[in-house]
Amino acid sequence: MKQVIAQMTDPMGLEEFYSRVLALSPSQAKNPKAGIRDSLRFDFLGKSLLFLDKQTLIPVRLAMPGVRFRVSLSRQEINKGWLFVFPAFQFMAPNDLPAEEFWLEEDNGRSIPVNPVTVKFKVKTIFGVQDIEHTAFDLMWWYKKHALRRGDSLLVTLLDWEKGRFRLEPEPARIRQRHNTEIQAQNQALADHLFQQLEAAPYEEVWGKIAIPTAYLHLKASNAYPADHWLEILERDRRMEWTGYEIRYADWTSPFERMLGDLSGEPKQTPSSRQKPLSKQEARQVYCFKAALWLNKSLWRRIEIQGGQTLADFDDILRTAFQHDHMDHLSGFWKLARRGQSRRFREVDLGNINPFGGGEAAEIQVASLSLNPGDTLKYVYDFGDWIQHRLELEAIGEPEENASYPRITGQNKPRYQDCQVCKNEGRKTIATCVCYTCSGEEQIDLLLCETCIEAHDEDHYLEQILY
Ligand SMILES: [Zn+2]
Ligand SMILES: [Zn+2]
């Protein structure tokens, strides 16, 4: 595959790429393309290849020259004459390129010696104070020559990706200010491109090494004034979060954060739990949900709850509606969010509720979830049995006078089952419970009516049937 990539002088269709690779190294595999695709994804994308569009590959060395971006200089960088290699050049040159091999030049083509220096930092982490080292180019004389001051930035043009060759131009703060409108538009375009890549990704993450060069590559074509550095753009964007390797949805919490949150008992701050106060009108409105068992849609209840009421209130009425225990087991809510224009959804964790009305999601008000009719929540009762319910918002309306909320206003037509003890004796009564002890022994569900329950073995484990 390396050989094919090295020979590419233009973008190439995916199919042609496959056949060239197979021509050089024939494969006996059942689906040889799948093998190439995996290798492409794990070994080559973001390193030596990028997708120009869904069906076209382009070598990074051809794609990236001409990409321009801004590096905002910190006060420390201006004062000391430094330019930190990381994160300024992250994903803009090969990952393993040593700092001393970078090549910087002025716009007249004259070289700027890079003079790498190692800068030590003390960082406070949860493991205590640690020393970390960063490499910076020492450009003091060049900063002086151009009289760079606080607030000024550098405009960087990528000349050669493989060799780490860049052109630097000083950008005084007032010039940047003059181009503010264009910069904002470019920043938005870059952010949107990154977000679209995330929405289109099979999993709920995209790798920075692929997504970031791809986004700049598409911006390059517009030939507009350079956008800010991608890291600043990602940090400002409220839809996304940068983990150091991947871009994820902003409402994602790492397993590690989650563990710390659980230990400290502090509610996590997700965008959904960051509530702004509701207006009187928003708090009054009635949200009408059709709540159904996820795996058996024919068992449903219609539930009305007011905007100002909380997920703890919702949990309580759901436990009543589906005959779940009010005194035992955790439950939790998720919001289903559509990914782009697709029919794929992702689940945004809103948090848990414990049977005593506490938990991170307990205080979240229904109206603060910004739901529209057609939107869906997922409710899980009992994290052991994992009983899932689908809560689809049917309508938002005004409250009825003298009604008290939340309330259950409808349900499926029950399909009653007969008591088997009575049936054996020639009577027809409605069963209300199933005996799991007997059912287990006899390999059939033993259903019992109220009268037969009283006569049944007290030690047996009975559960109410949901109709
Ligand atoms: Zn009976
Ligand atoms: Zn029994």
Side-chain angles (χ1 to χ4, degrees), residues 82-107:
W82 290 336
L83 171 57
F84 285 109
V85 182
F86 176 92
F89 296 97
Q90 194 182 5
F91 306 127
M92 297 299 175
N95 193 21
D96 51 3
L97 189 74
E100 56 275 14
E101 287 182 23
F102 275 70
W103 175 279
L104 304 179
E105 60 182 57
E106 297 202 73
D107 57 357

PDB file of all heavy atoms in Angstrom, residues 82-107:
ATOM      1  N   TRP A  82       9.345  32.670  22.284  1.00  0.00           N
ATOM      2  CA  TRP A  82       9.115  31.244  22.003  1.00  0.00           C
ATOM      3  C   TRP A  82       7.939  31.044  21.056  1.00  0.00           C
ATOM      4  O   TRP A  82       7.014  31.852  20.988  1.00  0.00           O
ATOM      5  CB  TRP A  82       8.790  30.499  23.303  1.00  0.00           C
ATOM      6  CG  TRP A  82       9.949  30.374  24.229  1.00  0.00           C
ATOM      7  CD1 TRP A  82      11.282  30.418  23.926  1.00  0.00           C
ATOM      8  CD2 TRP A  82       9.863  30.201  25.657  1.00  0.00           C
ATOM      9  NE1 TRP A  82      12.043  30.264  25.049  1.00  0.00           N
ATOM     10  CE2 TRP A  82      11.205  30.127  26.142  1.00  0.00           C
ATOM     11  CE3 TRP A  82       8.825  30.063  26.573  1.00  0.00           C
ATOM     12  CZ2 TRP A  82      11.499  29.937  27.482  1.00  0.00           C
ATOM     13  CZ3 TRP A  82       9.113  29.880  27.900  1.00  0.00           C
ATOM     14  CH2 TRP A  82      10.443  29.826  28.354  1.00  0.00           C
ATOM     15  N   LEU A  83       7.991  29.891  20.404  1.00  0.00           N
ATOM     16  CA  LEU A  83       6.824  29.392  19.686  1.00  0.00           C
ATOM     17  C   LEU A  83       6.743  27.904  20.007  1.00  0.00           C
ATOM     18  O   LEU A  83       7.588  27.118  19.574  1.00  0.00           O
ATOM     19  CB  LEU A  83       6.980  29.605  18.169  1.00  0.00           C
ATOM     20  CG  LEU A  83       5.940  28.935  17.269  1.00  0.00           C
ATOM     21  CD1 LEU A  83       4.519  29.361  17.623  1.00  0.00           C
ATOM     22  CD2 LEU A  83       6.220  29.237  15.798  1.00  0.00           C
ATOM     23  N   PHE A  84       5.757  27.543  20.836  1.00  0.00           N
ATOM     24  CA  PHE A  84       5.640  26.130  21.229  1.00  0.00           C
ATOM     25  C   PHE A  84       5.228  25.279  20.034  1.00  0.00           C
ATOM     26  O   PHE A  84       4.275  25.608  19.327  1.00  0.00           O
ATOM     27  CB  PHE A  84       4.641  25.972  22.375  1.00  0.00           C
ATOM     28  CG  PHE A  84       5.192  26.438  23.686  1.00  0.00           C
ATOM     29  CD1 PHE A  84       4.727  27.597  24.290  1.00  0.00           C
ATOM     30  CD2 PHE A  84       6.213  25.713  24.308  1.00  0.00           C
ATOM     31  CE1 PHE A  84       5.267  28.031  25.493  1.00  0.00           C
ATOM     32  CE2 PHE A  84       6.749  26.143  25.515  1.00  0.00           C
ATOM     33  CZ  PHE A  84       6.279  27.307  26.108  1.00  0.00           C
ATOM     34  N   VAL A  85       5.978  24.196  19.839  1.00  0.00           N
ATOM     35  CA  VAL A  85       5.703  23.314  18.697  1.00  0.00           C
ATOM     36  C   VAL A  85       4.327  22.660  18.875  1.00  0.00           C
ATOM     37  O   VAL A  85       3.568  22.501  17.926  1.00  0.00           O
ATOM     38  CB  VAL A  85       6.796  22.227  18.592  1.00  0.00           C
ATOM     39  CG1 VAL A  85       6.548  21.336  17.384  1.00  0.00           C
ATOM     40  CG2 VAL A  85       8.166  22.879  18.518  1.00  0.00           C
ATOM     41  N   PHE A  86       4.049  22.308  20.112  1.00  0.00           N
ATOM     42  CA  PHE A  86       2.788  21.656  20.443  1.00  0.00           C
ATOM     43  C   PHE A  86       1.974  22.645  21.263  1.00  0.00           C
ATOM     44  O   PHE A  86       2.511  23.177  22.230  1.00  0.00           O
ATOM     45  CB  PHE A  86       3.082  20.387  21.257  1.00  0.00           C
ATOM     46  CG  PHE A  86       1.866  19.672  21.736  1.00  0.00           C
ATOM     47  CD1 PHE A  86       1.297  18.665  20.972  1.00  0.00           C
ATOM     48  CD2 PHE A  86       1.289  20.002  22.967  1.00  0.00           C
ATOM     49  CE1 PHE A  86       0.172  17.998  21.425  1.00  0.00           C
ATOM     50  CE2 PHE A  86       0.169  19.339  23.416  1.00  0.00           C
ATOM     51  CZ  PHE A  86      -0.386  18.334  22.643  1.00  0.00           C
ATOM     52  N   PRO A  87       0.764  22.974  20.955  1.00  0.00           N
ATOM     53  CA  PRO A  87      -0.062  22.354  19.923  1.00  0.00           C
ATOM     54  C   PRO A  87      -0.025  23.062  18.565  1.00  0.00           C
ATOM     55  O   PRO A  87      -0.742  22.646  17.668  1.00  0.00           O
ATOM     56  CB  PRO A  87      -1.461  22.474  20.507  1.00  0.00           C
ATOM     57  CG  PRO A  87      -1.420  23.772  21.282  1.00  0.00           C
ATOM     58  CD  PRO A  87      -0.010  23.897  21.782  1.00  0.00           C
ATOM     59  N   ALA A  88       0.824  24.106  18.402  1.00  0.00           N
ATOM     60  CA  ALA A  88       0.741  24.912  17.174  1.00  0.00           C
ATOM     61  C   ALA A  88       0.792  24.061  15.906  1.00  0.00           C
ATOM     62  O   ALA A  88       0.000  24.244  14.995  1.00  0.00           O
ATOM     63  CB  ALA A  88       1.856  25.951  17.166  1.00  0.00           C
ATOM     64  N   PHE A  89       1.733  23.089  15.877  1.00  0.00           N
ATOM     65  CA  PHE A  89       1.935  22.328  14.637  1.00  0.00           C
ATOM     66  C   PHE A  89       1.361  20.914  14.697  1.00  0.00           C
ATOM     67  O   PHE A  89       1.622  20.111  13.813  1.00  0.00           O
ATOM     68  CB  PHE A  89       3.432  22.284  14.288  1.00  0.00           C
ATOM     69  CG  PHE A  89       3.998  23.650  13.987  1.00  0.00           C
ATOM     70  CD1 PHE A  89       4.672  24.378  14.968  1.00  0.00           C
ATOM     71  CD2 PHE A  89       3.826  24.214  12.732  1.00  0.00           C
ATOM     72  CE1 PHE A  89       5.176  25.644  14.697  1.00  0.00           C
ATOM     73  CE2 PHE A  89       4.328  25.479  12.446  1.00  0.00           C
ATOM     74  CZ  PHE A  89       4.993  26.202  13.441  1.00  0.00           C
ATOM     75  N   GLN A  90       0.602  20.624  15.756  1.00  0.00           N
ATOM     76  CA  GLN A  90       0.029  19.280  15.866  1.00  0.00           C
ATOM     77  C   GLN A  90      -0.860  18.996  14.650  1.00  0.00           C
ATOM     78  O   GLN A  90      -1.694  19.839  14.289  1.00  0.00           O
ATOM     79  CB  GLN A  90      -0.785  19.168  17.165  1.00  0.00           C
ATOM     80  CG  GLN A  90      -1.104  17.724  17.509  1.00  0.00           C
ATOM     81  CD  GLN A  90      -1.953  17.604  18.772  1.00  0.00           C
ATOM     82  OE1 GLN A  90      -2.393  18.602  19.352  1.00  0.00           O
ATOM     83  NE2 GLN A  90      -2.202  16.382  19.202  1.00  0.00           N
ATOM     84  N   PHE A  91      -0.703  17.843  14.067  1.00  0.00           N
ATOM     85  CA  PHE A  91      -1.434  17.382  12.867  1.00  0.00           C
ATOM     86  C   PHE A  91      -1.064  18.159  11.597  1.00  0.00           C
ATOM     87  O   PHE A  91      -1.678  17.987  10.567  1.00  0.00           O
ATOM     88  CB  PHE A  91      -2.955  17.445  13.057  1.00  0.00           C
ATOM     89  CG  PHE A  91      -3.429  16.725  14.278  1.00  0.00           C
ATOM     90  CD1 PHE A  91      -4.233  17.367  15.214  1.00  0.00           C
ATOM     91  CD2 PHE A  91      -3.070  15.406  14.502  1.00  0.00           C
ATOM     92  CE1 PHE A  91      -4.661  16.696  16.348  1.00  0.00           C
ATOM     93  CE2 PHE A  91      -3.493  14.728  15.635  1.00  0.00           C
ATOM     94  CZ  PHE A  91      -4.291  15.376  16.567  1.00  0.00           C
ATOM     95  N   MET A  92      -0.067  19.032  11.674  1.00  0.00           N
ATOM     96  CA  MET A  92       0.321  19.803  10.506  1.00  0.00           C
ATOM     97  C   MET A  92       1.646  19.309   9.932  1.00  0.00           C
ATOM     98  O   MET A  92       2.140  19.829   8.944  1.00  0.00           O
ATOM     99  CB  MET A  92       0.454  21.287  10.872  1.00  0.00           C
ATOM    100  CG  MET A  92      -0.842  21.904  11.325  1.00  0.00           C
ATOM    101  SD  MET A  92      -2.101  21.816  10.025  1.00  0.00           S
ATOM    102  CE  MET A  92      -3.522  22.465  10.885  1.00  0.00           C
ATOM    103  N   ALA A  93       2.233  18.312  10.609  1.00  0.00           N
ATOM    104  CA  ALA A  93       3.484  17.712  10.169  1.00  0.00           C
ATOM    105  C   ALA A  93       3.473  16.279  10.705  1.00  0.00           C
ATOM    106  O   ALA A  93       2.664  15.961  11.570  1.00  0.00           O
ATOM    107  CB  ALA A  93       4.667  18.487  10.739  1.00  0.00           C
ATOM    108  N   PRO A  94       4.378  15.409  10.195  1.00  0.00           N
ATOM    109  CA  PRO A  94       4.392  14.045  10.744  1.00  0.00           C
ATOM    110  C   PRO A  94       4.589  14.084  12.254  1.00  0.00           C
ATOM    111  O   PRO A  94       5.373  14.883  12.772  1.00  0.00           O
ATOM    112  CB  PRO A  94       5.588  13.391  10.038  1.00  0.00           C
ATOM    113  CG  PRO A  94       5.740  14.169   8.774  1.00  0.00           C
ATOM    114  CD  PRO A  94       5.344  15.578   9.109  1.00  0.00           C
ATOM    115  N   ASN A  95       3.853  13.197  12.918  1.00  0.00           N
ATOM    116  CA  ASN A  95       3.830  13.139  14.366  1.00  0.00           C
ATOM    117  C   ASN A  95       5.221  12.988  14.995  1.00  0.00           C
ATOM    118  O   ASN A  95       5.497  13.515  16.069  1.00  0.00           O
ATOM    119  CB  ASN A  95       2.952  11.925  14.718  1.00  0.00           C
ATOM    120  CG  ASN A  95       2.568  11.915  16.150  1.00  0.00           C
ATOM    121  OD1 ASN A  95       2.595  12.959  16.804  1.00  0.00           O
ATOM    122  ND2 ASN A  95       2.217  10.753  16.654  1.00  0.00           N
ATOM    123  N   ASP A  96       6.107  12.251  14.289  1.00  0.00           N
ATOM    124  CA  ASP A  96       7.402  11.923  14.886  1.00  0.00           C
ATOM    125  C   ASP A  96       8.528  12.820  14.364  1.00  0.00           C
ATOM    126  O   ASP A  96       9.695  12.528  14.559  1.00  0.00           O
ATOM    127  CB  ASP A  96       7.732  10.441  14.611  1.00  0.00           C
ATOM    128  CG  ASP A  96       7.574  10.099  13.134  1.00  0.00           C
ATOM    129  OD1 ASP A  96       7.262  11.016  12.334  1.00  0.00           O
ATOM    130  OD2 ASP A  96       7.778   8.926  12.757  1.00  0.00           O
ATOM    131  N   LEU A  97       8.184  13.902  13.695  1.00  0.00           N
ATOM    132  CA  LEU A  97       9.224  14.776  13.150  1.00  0.00           C
ATOM    133  C   LEU A  97       9.905  15.540  14.299  1.00  0.00           C
ATOM    134  O   LEU A  97       9.242  16.265  15.040  1.00  0.00           O
ATOM    135  CB  LEU A  97       8.604  15.769  12.160  1.00  0.00           C
ATOM    136  CG  LEU A  97       9.594  16.606  11.353  1.00  0.00           C
ATOM    137  CD1 LEU A  97      10.259  15.742  10.286  1.00  0.00           C
ATOM    138  CD2 LEU A  97       8.876  17.785  10.699  1.00  0.00           C
ATOM    139  N   PRO A  98      11.224  15.366  14.459  1.00  0.00           N
ATOM    140  CA  PRO A  98      11.914  16.061  15.568  1.00  0.00           C
ATOM    141  C   PRO A  98      11.889  17.576  15.345  1.00  0.00           C
ATOM    142  O   PRO A  98      11.967  18.042  14.199  1.00  0.00           O
ATOM    143  CB  PRO A  98      13.350  15.538  15.499  1.00  0.00           C
ATOM    144  CG  PRO A  98      13.326  14.365  14.578  1.00  0.00           C
ATOM    145  CD  PRO A  98      12.154  14.548  13.670  1.00  0.00           C
ATOM    146  N   ALA A  99      11.803  18.326  16.453  1.00  0.00           N
ATOM    147  CA  ALA A  99      11.665  19.786  16.362  1.00  0.00           C
ATOM    148  C   ALA A  99      12.803  20.412  15.549  1.00  0.00           C
ATOM    149  O   ALA A  99      12.586  21.356  14.790  1.00  0.00           O
ATOM    150  CB  ALA A  99      11.611  20.388  17.760  1.00  0.00           C
ATOM    151  N   GLU A 100      14.028  19.845  15.701  1.00  0.00           N
ATOM    152  CA  GLU A 100      15.166  20.472  15.004  1.00  0.00           C
ATOM    153  C   GLU A 100      15.091  20.294  13.485  1.00  0.00           C
ATOM    154  O   GLU A 100      15.786  20.965  12.743  1.00  0.00           O
ATOM    155  CB  GLU A 100      16.511  19.983  15.555  1.00  0.00           C
ATOM    156  CG  GLU A 100      16.742  18.491  15.535  1.00  0.00           C
ATOM    157  CD  GLU A 100      16.171  17.776  16.764  1.00  0.00           C
ATOM    158  OE1 GLU A 100      15.366  18.381  17.510  1.00  0.00           O
ATOM    159  OE2 GLU A 100      16.523  16.594  16.975  1.00  0.00           O
ATOM    160  N   GLU A 101      14.227  19.392  13.031  1.00  0.00           N
ATOM    161  CA  GLU A 101      14.113  19.196  11.583  1.00  0.00           C
ATOM    162  C   GLU A 101      13.055  20.075  10.921  1.00  0.00           C
ATOM    163  O   GLU A 101      12.909  20.077   9.704  1.00  0.00           O
ATOM    164  CB  GLU A 101      13.849  17.712  11.268  1.00  0.00           C
ATOM    165  CG  GLU A 101      15.099  16.885  11.486  1.00  0.00           C
ATOM    166  CD  GLU A 101      14.915  15.423  11.139  1.00  0.00           C
ATOM    167  OE1 GLU A 101      14.003  15.103  10.341  1.00  0.00           O
ATOM    168  OE2 GLU A 101      15.679  14.601  11.694  1.00  0.00           O
ATOM    169  N   PHE A 102      12.289  20.804  11.732  1.00  0.00           N
ATOM    170  CA  PHE A 102      11.311  21.733  11.145  1.00  0.00           C
ATOM    171  C   PHE A 102      12.071  22.802  10.350  1.00  0.00           C
ATOM    172  O   PHE A 102      13.206  23.143  10.668  1.00  0.00           O
ATOM    173  CB  PHE A 102      10.482  22.419  12.235  1.00  0.00           C
ATOM    174  CG  PHE A 102       9.294  21.610  12.689  1.00  0.00           C
ATOM    175  CD1 PHE A 102       9.457  20.450  13.420  1.00  0.00           C
ATOM    176  CD2 PHE A 102       8.001  22.032  12.392  1.00  0.00           C
ATOM    177  CE1 PHE A 102       8.367  19.710  13.849  1.00  0.00           C
ATOM    178  CE2 PHE A 102       6.903  21.298  12.817  1.00  0.00           C
ATOM    179  CZ  PHE A 102       7.091  20.139  13.537  1.00  0.00           C
ATOM    180  N   TRP A 103      11.408  23.299   9.344  1.00  0.00           N
ATOM    181  CA  TRP A 103      12.006  24.333   8.510  1.00  0.00           C
ATOM    182  C   TRP A 103      11.018  25.491   8.459  1.00  0.00           C
ATOM    183  O   TRP A 103       9.905  25.352   7.970  1.00  0.00           O
ATOM    184  CB  TRP A 103      12.277  23.777   7.110  1.00  0.00           C
ATOM    185  CG  TRP A 103      12.785  24.790   6.142  1.00  0.00           C
ATOM    186  CD1 TRP A 103      12.025  25.700   5.452  1.00  0.00           C
ATOM    187  CD2 TRP A 103      14.131  25.028   5.761  1.00  0.00           C
ATOM    188  NE1 TRP A 103      12.821  26.478   4.668  1.00  0.00           N
ATOM    189  CE2 TRP A 103      14.130  26.097   4.820  1.00  0.00           C
ATOM    190  CE3 TRP A 103      15.368  24.444   6.114  1.00  0.00           C
ATOM    191  CZ2 TRP A 103      15.291  26.579   4.237  1.00  0.00           C
ATOM    192  CZ3 TRP A 103      16.517  24.946   5.518  1.00  0.00           C
ATOM    193  CH2 TRP A 103      16.483  26.006   4.591  1.00  0.00           C
ATOM    194  N   LEU A 104      11.444  26.649   9.017  1.00  0.00           N
ATOM    195  CA  LEU A 104      10.573  27.821   8.981  1.00  0.00           C
ATOM    196  C   LEU A 104      11.187  28.858   8.058  1.00  0.00           C
ATOM    197  O   LEU A 104      12.408  28.988   7.997  1.00  0.00           O
ATOM    198  CB  LEU A 104      10.411  28.415  10.390  1.00  0.00           C
ATOM    199  CG  LEU A 104       9.899  27.468  11.475  1.00  0.00           C
ATOM    200  CD1 LEU A 104       9.808  28.194  12.822  1.00  0.00           C
ATOM    201  CD2 LEU A 104       8.543  26.874  11.108  1.00  0.00           C
ATOM    202  N   GLU A 105      10.342  29.581   7.345  1.00  0.00           N
ATOM    203  CA  GLU A 105      10.902  30.628   6.487  1.00  0.00           C
ATOM    204  C   GLU A 105      10.000  31.851   6.433  1.00  0.00           C
ATOM    205  O   GLU A 105       8.809  31.790   6.756  1.00  0.00           O
ATOM    206  CB  GLU A 105      11.171  30.068   5.078  1.00  0.00           C
ATOM    207  CG  GLU A 105       9.947  29.552   4.368  1.00  0.00           C
ATOM    208  CD  GLU A 105      10.295  28.965   2.997  1.00  0.00           C
ATOM    209  OE1 GLU A 105      11.126  28.034   2.950  1.00  0.00           O
ATOM    210  OE2 GLU A 105       9.746  29.446   1.998  1.00  0.00           O
ATOM    211  N   GLU A 106      10.584  32.978   6.035  1.00  0.00           N
ATOM    212  CA  GLU A 106       9.829  34.213   5.890  1.00  0.00           C
ATOM    213  C   GLU A 106       9.145  34.232   4.534  1.00  0.00           C
ATOM    214  O   GLU A 106       9.444  33.400   3.673  1.00  0.00           O
ATOM    215  CB  GLU A 106      10.782  35.406   5.982  1.00  0.00           C
ATOM    216  CG  GLU A 106      11.463  35.519   7.320  1.00  0.00           C
ATOM    217  CD  GLU A 106      11.942  36.947   7.545  1.00  0.00           C
ATOM    218  OE1 GLU A 106      11.079  37.819   7.787  1.00  0.00           O
ATOM    219  OE2 GLU A 106      13.150  37.181   7.464  1.00  0.00           O
ATOM    220  N   ASP A 107       8.292  35.245   4.304  1.00  0.00           N
ATOM    221  CA  ASP A 107       7.589  35.207   3.026  1.00  0.00           C
ATOM    222  C   ASP A 107       8.499  35.543   1.844  1.00  0.00           C
ATOM    223  O   ASP A 107       8.142  35.315   0.699  1.00  0.00           O
ATOM    224  CB  ASP A 107       6.280  36.015   3.032  1.00  0.00           C
ATOM    225  CG  ASP A 107       6.512  37.459   3.410  1.00  0.00           C
ATOM    226  OD1 ASP A 107       7.672  37.793   3.718  1.00  0.00           O
ATOM    227  OD2 ASP A 107       5.536  38.230   3.393  1.00  0.00           O
TER     228      ASP A 107
END
